[in-house]
Every structure is written in C-alpha cells, then in structure tokens.
Amino acid sequence: MLVYLDNNATTRVDLSVVEAMLPYFTDQFGNASSAHAFGSTVAEGVRAARRQLQALLGAASDSEIVFTSGGTEADNTALLSALETAPEGRSEIITSAVEHPAILSVLEHLEATRAIVVHRIGVDRRGRLDRAAYAAALSKRTALVSIMWANNETGTLFPVAELAEMAHVAGALFHTDAVQAVGKVAIALKTTQIDMLSLSGHKLHGPKGVGALYVRKGTPFAPLVRGGPQERRRRGGTENVPGIIGLGAAAALALAGMEDMAGRLRALRDRLEARLLALAPDALVLGDGTWRLPNTCDIAFSHLEGEAILHNLDKAGIAASLGSACSSGSMEPSHVLKAMQVPPSALRGAIRFSLSRETTSADIDRVLAVMPDILAKLRATVPA
Ligand code: PLP
C-alpha cells in the first residue's frame, strides 16, 4: 500500500481534469488567436476556463485572470510589475520572512541590483505575522506589500484581507501568493482590497506548468513576458491551452463541495496530529492551531532527524516531506522554522504531512501503524 501525504509539494492530476484536457491535444489543437473555427473553439474553451477561475476566486470579472506558466511566474510578474509601475518615490517592498523562494529570491535579486528597500516582517512562534512591525513598515515609500495567504510548510493562514486594507491606507498595492490557499479555503476577492493574487494548477489536482495571476481591474500593470497580444497584452506567448483547460477543470472541482472537503480533511489531519502527539509528547505542532490550512500537519520531533523519519516512512511506502519541497534536499533548516524560532532540538526533526481530497482514513491508519516503530528505532540511536 502506497500512501501519498505530500500534497503541498504537488497533487495528482484528477482524472476528470485529464479527461477535460485530452481533446485539446488532439481534435481541438488550434491556436486560440486564429480567425477560423479551429481557433474559435479553442478560444471559447480558454474563456470557459477563465470563468471557472473567476468563480473559484470570487473575482468581479474573468478579465482579471492572467494565465501564466505557474505560481513562480505569477509571483515574479506581480513583484516586477508593481516596481515598474510604482509612482515616483515609492521604492520599498514589504514582505514576510516566511515567503516561498518564488518571492524571496526575486526580492534578494532586486535588492542587489536596484535601488529598492525590502522589509521582511517577522512572525511569532505560531507563524503569525508581527502586525505591529507591519504597521510600522508601511509608509508613503511603500510600492507593494506581498504576503502569502497560507504558508506552504506550516499551513498558517495570514489575514490578507486586513493586511490589504492597511496597505491601501498607505497608498501601496497588495499582492498575495495564494498558491497553497487556492482550492483549500474559500476566497472572495470581490469583497477584499487585494490587488494581485498568484495561484498554481498543480497544487489543486490540475497540471504542472500552468497557473494564473489575478490582477484587479484598474491595477497598474506591466507584463513580465512580452510578445504577442495574448492575455490582453499582459502575458505574451501562445497559450498553454491544455494546461489552461486543466486548470479551469481543477478550479471547478475544488469549488464544488469545498466546505465539506475541508471538514473531512481537518478531521483526518486532527486525528493524525493527536495520535502523533500521544506517541511523542515532546513533539511540537508547528503553525497556528486555528488559523491553518485544513490539510497540513507540520510536526517537529524533538532530538530526532527529520531525514531519518522521512527515509523510514518512505521504506514503509509513505511519502511525506521535510519542510517545503523546495528546501528538502538541502541540509539547511528551513527559513520558515528559523523565523518561528523553533528550538534547535526540534529544528531538524520537522516532518510535513499534507493531505488532499484523495486522502483516506486508511492512509492515516497506515501512518499511525508504522510511526511507533520508527520513533522507537530512532530514539534508540539518540544519546541520552
Ligand atoms: N508559492 C508557494 C507558496 C508554493 O508553495 C509554491 C510551490 O511549491 C510556489 C509558489 C511555486 O509554484 P509553481 O511550482 O507553480 O511555480
């Protein structure tokens, strides 16, 4: 029996999504820009996908959706667009210390190559943003705030609607990397002041290599990828039509019954977490207890090596993750856990289990069946 609990890294493409995509590789192969029937049927498919995303995001108009090659491109576009269109004198960006590298590495590069200032706002031990530091960093020099909706490692949710209102009072734009939140929590952009939002297909049972940037109507915008007139001149290049169709189908799938799914996953996750804590009373659940994605359990086992736990889980046919997918493989403890001041004794023992709509109660039972032996075996190797 194989158990996949690494859904924050990526998800399996749902069969209904594959079925929706398939015709767009064969019969419906046209270029959406072509002025003949092959083009117009494809253009209609792309329009339908845009409306499916609009519905998932609760956006006012489908014209606010710009398809991209994924979450990373959407994040890069938002940051660079805001800087390029910023009024004179606004050259500062505010972000959090726990963003994904798709944000942090761009900002490091920009800091090194342009005359800009980046404020990285810290978090507390539960991964919650330091609101006072955020309020103090906002000023008439702020061009953009970019703060994630949900953290990929801990699942902690950020109060982005409120943070966006504060950004607007200071006259700054607000972007959120919602790659981990979209499809897992209800989103109603119409009722917020969020100007831009990034999402990615492969985190919600859609294909890899496709995503979108939501750009609120009226938001100043400069494209990152220039070329043809696609995406209302906001992203050049012939559209990844099968990918876009798949992203639309995945959005519709996520929207249907989202609340029930969240409740089911939360119950499974909470059962997993409670049993793991009973097995290891000195383990720490990382992230905010309440304001957290329903599918994510990030737990640090004191004095044990996460790598060793992961390896033993893998041998038992269970896939989980060390911190985020992007930092696993490196020996550096995750920047997120460092920012949360996780004690050194637990820093290296963090394992992330991330569930999805495919996760069953039997999957959780399987983890709980093997963990006692894994923990006992590894504890036996730890010096007293
Ligand atoms: N932002 C967050 C929070 C993520 O978790 C990820 C993927 O792990 C990305 C951005 C990057 O998205 P993509 O893989 O589509 O480029």
Side-chain angles (χ1 to χ4, degrees):
M1 179 185 177
L2 291 179
V3 174
Y4 184 76
L5 292 176
D6 198 11
N7 289 283
N8 285 11
T10 197
T11 57
R12 186 204 308 269
V13 182
D14 192 84
L15 214 52
S16 66
V17 170
V18 176
E19 277 163 9
M21 293 171 70
L22 282 177
Y24 290 87
F25 288 105
T26 52
D27 297 346
Q28 324 256 19
F29 62 87
N31 185 322
S33 307
S34 297
H36 47 60
F38 288 89
S40 56
T41 50
V42 168
E44 182 42 49
V46 170
R47 258 196 303 279
R50 212 183 292 284
R51 286 194 294 266
Q52 285 168 316
L53 270 185
Q54 176 198 352
L56 180 62
L57 299 180
S61 163
D62 65 350
S63 66
E64 296 175 316
I65 310 293
V66 180
F67 290 114
T68 66
S69 68
T72 301
E73 184 191 317
D75 282 346
N76 275 249
T77 305
L79 298 176
L80 290 159
S81 169
L83 274 185
E84 204 166 316
T85 59
E88 190 69 27
R90 288 194 183 260
S91 58
E92 298 191 0
I93 294 187
I94 299 175
T95 190
S96 82
V98 297
E99 299 293 313
H100 189 272
I103 295 289
L104 290 181
S105 67
V106 182
L107 292 179
E108 264 169 43
H109 174 71
L110 290 172
E111 250 178 337
T113 54
R114 298 193 193 181
I116 66 157
V117 172
V118 177
H119 300 271
R120 294 169 182 80
I121 308 299
V123 295
D124 67 12
R125 285 168 194 269
R126 282 154 66 179
R128 297 172 306 180
L129 195 76
D130 180 342
R131 299 260 199 134
Y134 174 58
L138 283 165
S139 76
K140 59 181 191 311
R141 296 182 302 279
T142 313
L144 174 75
V145 176
S146 179
I147 292 185
M148 64 198 335
W149 197 305
N151 185 266
N152 42 304
E153 294 188 31
T154 64
T156 300
L157 294 165
F158 289 87
V160 284
E162 270 172 66
L163 301 177
E165 284 172 23
M166 291 168 73
H168 277 194
V169 171
L173 290 177
F174 188 89
H175 164 255
T176 181
D177 174 342
V179 166
Q180 292 292 346
V182 171
K184 296 176 190 149
V185 298
I187 292 181
L189 286 173
K190 249 187 312 211
T191 65
T192 74
Q193 295 189 26
I194 293 167
D195 299 297
M196 292 185 278
L197 172 149
S198 303
L199 63 95
S200 173
H202 73 104
K203 309 289 187 182
L204 58 151
H205 302 282
K208 295 173 181 59
V210 67
L213 180 66
Y214 158 87
V215 185
R216 182 181 295 275
K217 193 163 181 264
T219 304
F221 187 80
L224 176 67
V225 180
R226 291 172 191 273
Q230 292 88 358
E231 298 298 289
R232 297 172 181 247
R233 300 198 170 276
R234 291 170 299 180
R235 203 274 186 179
T238 302
E239 298 87 346
N240 167 10
V241 174
I244 289 170
I245 299 292
L247 177 54
L253 181 73
L255 186 56
M258 184 187 291
E259 215 172 294
D260 291 346
M261 183 60 67
R264 190 179 78 78
L265 294 182
R266 186 176 294 111
L268 288 176
R269 189 269 317 269
D270 289 351
R271 179 159 76 84
L272 171 67
E273 216 160 76
R275 289 293 306 141
L276 290 176
L277 284 173
L279 286 174
D282 60 350
L284 296 175
V285 171
L286 304 172
D288 191 73
T290 314
W291 293 102
R292 191 157 49 122
L293 289 174
N295 79 317
T296 306
C297 166
D298 199 15
I299 184 163
F301 295 93
S302 299
H303 306 295
L304 298 183
E305 284 289 330
E307 295 262 7
I309 301 173
L310 210 59
H311 176 67
N312 281 280
L313 284 170
D314 190 32
K315 278 205 296 195
I318 297 165
S321 164
L322 255 198
S324 91
C326 304
S327 62
S328 69
S330 83
M331 294 308 285
E332 260 297 283
S334 117
H335 68 286
V336 176
L337 304 192
K338 279 200 273 188
M340 287 166 62
Q341 297 184 17
V342 172
S345 59
L347 205 49
R348 310 191 77 88
I351 297 286
R352 180 187 68 188
F353 297 97
S354 47
L355 289 58
S356 82
R357 62 190 302 119
E358 297 187 338
T359 306
T360 63
S361 194
D363 292 336
I364 302 302
D365 291 342
R366 175 77 187 136
V367 177
L368 294 173
V370 303
M371 278 302 276
D373 283 352
I374 293 177
L375 293 177
K377 185 170 115 184
L378 297 177
R379 279 186 191 129
T381 66
V382 176

